[in-house]
Amino acid sequence: MLDHAEIFDISPLVSSKIAVFPGDKSFETIEALSFDQGHNLLLSAIHTTVHLGAHADAPNHYHKSGVGIDQRSLHFYLGSAQVISVQVKAGERITPAHLPCEINAPRILFKTNSFPNPDCWNNDFCSLSPELIKFLKSKKVITVGIDTPSVDPETSKKLEAHNEIFKQDLAILEGLILNHIDDGLYQLIALPLKLKDLDASPVRAILLRTKHD
Ligand SMILES: [Zn+2]
């Protein structure tokens, strides 16, 4: 089935230019060996926040008793997903009233177009409301994704959406690129690395569409 699927890449390019949350560790590469220096190999290391580009947040990022990313079920990151465009004012949270259609998949990816350039930080991106999280849970949603760096506004200290997501045990995908994706149903693959006890992992997020979807 995968052999005949159309693949849509919904991950930003990860480079030293990619924007990270203000104060967070930006992405840096270190070359231990390189052909240019006369070595027989190129061998690199990276030093970076794990909240990099398209990434999955783990519950221990937003709750003291949450588990790390290695302990999360892979079902959250693999399977039917629905892309939904929402028209929301800059900086505002998405509420159930903003939803233009019914919820038809257990993984919902919100296209807000409010963080247009992954290499250029803007602080008025859209985020999610706790009411929306409760509503999605009532519709059997297990994963929420968004095309912004966070499910809460940049300046939020109370992290209302993160907290509600913890209560409802949903999974979070942030930093997705959805501007080239039409609304509708797809298969999502966005597996996090098995990083022990870490609070997030970068993912290579893709959407698949087959003739039968
Ligand atoms: Zn994050």
Side-chain angles (χ1 to χ4, degrees), residues 21 24 49-53 55-58 61-62 148-151 162 172-175 199-201:
F21 220 89
D24 205 350
T49 174
V50 286
H51 298 260
L52 184 73
H55 69 275
D57 274 4
H61 177 53
Y62 41 89
T148 74
S150 180
V151 295
H162 279 93
I172 302 176
L173 289 169
E174 295 168 335
D199 47 283
S201 170

Side-chain angles (χ1 to χ4, degrees), residues 14-198:
V14 172
S15 78
S16 58
K17 289 192 202 144
I18 197 166
V20 300
F21 220 89
D24 205 350
K25 178 74 191 78
S26 57
F27 179 80
E28 185 191 340
T29 60
I30 307 113
E31 285 183 1
L33 299 175
S34 78
F35 293 105
D36 289 348
Q37 308 255 344
H39 301 118
N40 61 338
L41 293 169
L42 174 62
L43 184 67
S44 306
I46 58 175
H47 188 198
T48 178
T49 174
V50 286
H51 298 260
L52 184 73
H55 69 275
D57 274 4
N60 68 350
H61 177 53
Y62 41 89
H63 200 279
K64 219 174 138 186
S65 61
V67 298
I69 197 65
D70 57 310
Q71 293 178 54
R72 293 297 266 169
S73 165
L74 296 180
H75 286 295
F76 289 123
Y77 309 107
L78 193 61
S80 307
Q82 183 179 5
V83 175
I84 301 180
S85 293
V86 284
Q87 305 295 329
V88 184
K89 280 193 208 124
E92 291 199 354
R93 293 177 186 267
I94 306 166
T95 70
H98 290 113
L99 295 176
C101 62
E102 298 204 337
I103 301 297
N104 287 318
R107 300 166 196 82
I108 301 295
L109 309 182
F110 289 106
K111 176 175 167 180
T112 70
N113 291 321
S114 64
F115 194 79
N117 183 349
D119 290 345
C120 180
W121 187 266
N122 62 277
N123 60 12
D124 57 351
F125 55 81
C126 299
S127 58
L128 310 180
S129 65
E131 300 74 41
L132 179 68
I133 303 304
K134 283 185 204 140
F135 176 77
L136 294 175
K137 179 73 180 190
S138 76
K139 298 290 177 187
K140 303 203 170 6
V141 169
I142 59 171
T143 301
V144 281
I146 194 163
D147 59 351
T148 74
S150 180
V151 295
D152 277 296
E154 180 186 321
T155 52
S156 171
K157 289 279 178 274
K158 289 192 176 163
L159 301 174
E160 290 93 336
H162 279 93
N163 289 335
E164 194 60 39
I165 285 168
F166 180 77
K167 271 193 221 160
Q168 307 293 349
D169 194 28
L170 270 62
I172 302 176
L173 289 169
E174 295 168 335
L176 304 174
I177 303 291
L178 296 172
N179 61 320
H180 57 307
I181 305 296
D182 292 335
D183 283 22
L185 292 172
Y186 300 84
Q187 296 292 317
L188 168 75
I189 301 178
L191 298 175
L193 298 178
K194 205 169 178 176
L195 299 169
K196 185 168 168 46
D197 295 334
L198 285 197

